[in-house]
Amino acid sequence: MNVESSLVFVLAAVAVVVVVRWIANRTGLPAAALLPIIGVGYALLPGPNISLDPDIVLTLVLPPLLYSAALDASLGGIRRNLRTVVSLSVVLVLLTALAIGFCFSWFVSGATLAAGIAIGAAVAPPDPVAALAVGRRVGLPPKIVTLIQGEGLLNDATALTILSVAVAAATGDDFSAPSALGRFLIAAAGGVAVGVLVAFAVRLLSRPLSSDPMMANAVSLATPFVAYLIGEHVHVSGVLAVVIAGLVVGHHTPRSASGAGRLQTSAVWRLVDFLLEGCVFLLIGQQLPAVVQGLAQYDTATIVIAVTISVGVVLVLRPVWLLLTQSLPRSLHTWLGGDRLDRDAGDNADEATPSPAERRREQRLTGREVVALSWSGTRGVISLAAISTIPLVTDSGAPFPARDLLLFCTFVVVLVTLVGQGLTFAPIVRALGLHADEKDQARLRNEARSASVEAALAALDDLQAQEHDDIHIHMIETMRAQLGARLTRYQGRLTLLRESDSKNLPVSPGYEAALHVRRVAIDAQRDELLRWRDAGWLPDEGLRVLERELDREEGLLPDRPVRRRENT
């Protein structure tokens, strides 16, 4: 394929991704589930296909996707649910790999235990992209979103480490359980250390570069690749290094980055996610012909047994594990999935502090939450990339045991979970009635807004006590009046939220009217600026500067449909 053909192919892929995203927005169906179906349809047509190169996926695709997800994740939320996250991203991944490994060695002809553990490690880590896209659209509670995020960030490192150990055993290297455990611990600890060091270096760079958003964005885009390459160079988990770096940088970005830099960085990473995720999910479906070609040497019964084991263990073990960890006695539950802070609440806690029993109830998952979290385990590109790294032959020169069968089973697991669970996740969540408390979230946000305005008013009082210039005093009073009006608006919204008996988000006619008036004013300003530009009175450079000011002002408004006055 020449350069022009490659460019046409890429542009066509981007066009498909854009169209599917538009369809997904209109229908509510997840784009991550629709794109592989389109990819399979294209693969069945005559014409060129692009194969997934595992090295490219692991080096160029996975680091930016993981880093972007880590920037948006809640480090505090992951800390509060750390044991639940660890039980899903480490223990469950290990159990899945072992369960599939033993089943393959017992029931699949030609497969060894090491080969079975290899495919188990490949299909064990869920890819949360599809589940999170649907979950945010239907309004999943923040706790479930945090668990899905935390699991998706950490499980890839566990799976890839287990895979490397299994492949080493299958290809003929000396294998022992203690050495495998030691390798896993060293890879994990080293990945954490590398991630923290990279994050510290990024924080040092952020301060001098905060005044230039372009340089800050360049550093942000380079960070995941630097973390991954350093981790792989020192033979630790590069994936975990990327995740830890993203979590730490994202947690400290509000202090180290400028407002303009944060806005631009957020926009850049959203675009990167959109294009990478879309193209990768589209390419997943195109791998079908290459995967099917290698099945000629296996009889139908062997293929059916292998696929049944792979899909069955993935779908069954997850809900069983979640139910087990939530039904254990209190002490074991705390060790596996609870929060040790529950035991640290003292008798001197004030009335606003939840009791230990209340905190335990908050940490435990309800039955509806277990169902939703069980059905969120969609697999994705990391599974296909991981299984593709299996070598063709062992050290003795013999073919790797059942390699083509392992590839096919992995593809089926990805397709079944990505399409099947992806398309049905939203209806299941709606049927469960599981959604975030919008009223409570709005109340918390308005309380935080009020507290921030009160802090600003206190700072103005301190400033007025220090300054005696008339100009300063006038500006302070002007700012105090603006902040006072804002505080009055926030407190009025809080009163409405607290007094409303409905669980739905209350609507204030005055608040909605104020939003409508502000949007009408901004639209009128834009129209006038365009009229000046079209008349030749305002150069395009000046228009863009003034448009950015209005765009930032509009960005502060809640996401509401714009109401237009009807012509009478």
Side-chain angles (χ1 to χ4, degrees), residues 9-10 26 77 116 126 142 151 186 191 195 238 290 292 294 318 376 389 401 494 528 541 560:
F9 195 88
V10 171
R26 297 292 296 269
E151 178 190 8
I186 291 173
V292 173
R318 183 177 179 86
S376 66
T389 61
L494 265 176
E528 183 65 11
E541 182 180 355
R560 299 273 203 281

Side-chain angles (χ1 to χ4, degrees), residues 217-500:
N217 267 282
V219 172
S220 181
L221 288 173
T223 299
F225 301 106
V226 171
Y228 181 81
L229 291 176
I230 292 177
E232 293 299 310
H233 181 72
V234 298
H235 304 293
V236 298
S237 176
V239 171
L240 190 56
V242 172
V243 170
I244 297 300
L247 286 172
V248 175
V249 171
H251 186 70
H252 292 284
T253 291
R255 291 191 180 93
S256 58
S258 64
R262 282 194 299 272
L263 288 173
Q264 194 172 99
T265 300
S266 176
V268 168
W269 278 114
R270 284 201 303 272
L271 178 61
V272 169
D273 286 346
F274 172 68
L275 292 177
L276 280 182
E277 290 171 358
C279 291
V280 165
F281 284 125
L282 187 62
L283 288 175
I284 285 177
Q286 294 184 28
Q287 310 312 301
L288 179 62
V291 172
V292 173
Q293 284 176 0
L295 294 179
Q297 57 183 310
Y298 303 98
D299 58 82
T300 304
T302 301
I303 297 174
V304 171
I305 291 173
V307 169
T308 302
I309 290 173
S310 304
V311 177
V313 171
V314 165
L315 294 181
V316 174
L317 187 58
R318 183 177 179 86
V320 169
W321 176 251
L322 285 168
L323 288 171
L324 176 64
T325 55
Q326 299 306 310
S327 60
L328 288 173
R330 180 182 304 170
S331 58
L332 290 178
H333 169 73
T334 301
W335 182 75
L336 285 171
D339 190 345
R340 184 176 294 175
L341 294 176
D342 293 341
R343 301 176 297 177
D344 298 335
D347 296 331
N348 296 327
D350 56 32
E351 295 181 358
T353 303
S355 66
E358 290 173 336
R359 292 172 65 96
R360 279 191 294 273
R361 283 195 297 271
E362 291 178 357
Q363 289 298 322
R364 285 183 183 268
L365 297 172
T366 65
R368 293 183 300 169
E369 290 173 337
V370 167
V371 173
L373 201 56
S374 299
W375 207 243
S376 66
T378 55
R379 270 58 177 180
V381 64
I382 182 62
S383 296
L384 291 178
I387 201 66
S388 299
T389 61
I390 292 179
L392 295 174
V393 297
T394 63
D395 291 345
S396 63
F400 191 95
R403 185 180 188 276
D404 293 324
L405 183 61
L406 302 184
L407 286 170
F408 179 73
C409 290
T410 304
F411 183 86
V412 173
V413 170
V414 171
L415 207 59
V416 168
T417 57
L418 194 57
V419 177
Q421 291 181 310
L423 291 176
T424 57
F425 188 53
I428 287 177
V429 171
R430 293 191 185 98
L432 292 171
L434 197 63
H435 54 79
D437 189 339
E438 295 184 359
K439 179 181 173 183
D440 187 62
Q441 291 179 327
R443 178 190 56 77
L444 181 60
R445 287 194 297 267
N446 277 274
E447 287 177 349
R449 290 185 182 116
S450 298
S452 68
V453 173
E454 289 171 352
L457 290 172
L460 290 181
D461 291 338
D462 294 339
L463 182 62
Q464 190 170 19
Q466 299 170 9
E467 299 287 349
H468 301 284
D469 188 282
D470 291 340
I471 297 178
H472 279 86
I473 293 175
H474 174 71
M475 296 306 299
I476 289 172
E477 292 302 325
T478 301
M479 179 60 68
R480 181 181 282 113
Q482 294 176 0
L483 291 173
R486 189 178 301 175
L487 182 60
T488 300
R489 187 170 66 250
Y490 293 156
Q491 290 177 340
R493 181 69 171 161
L494 265 176
T495 301
L496 181 65
L497 290 167
R498 289 168 176 165
E499 293 179 351
S500 174

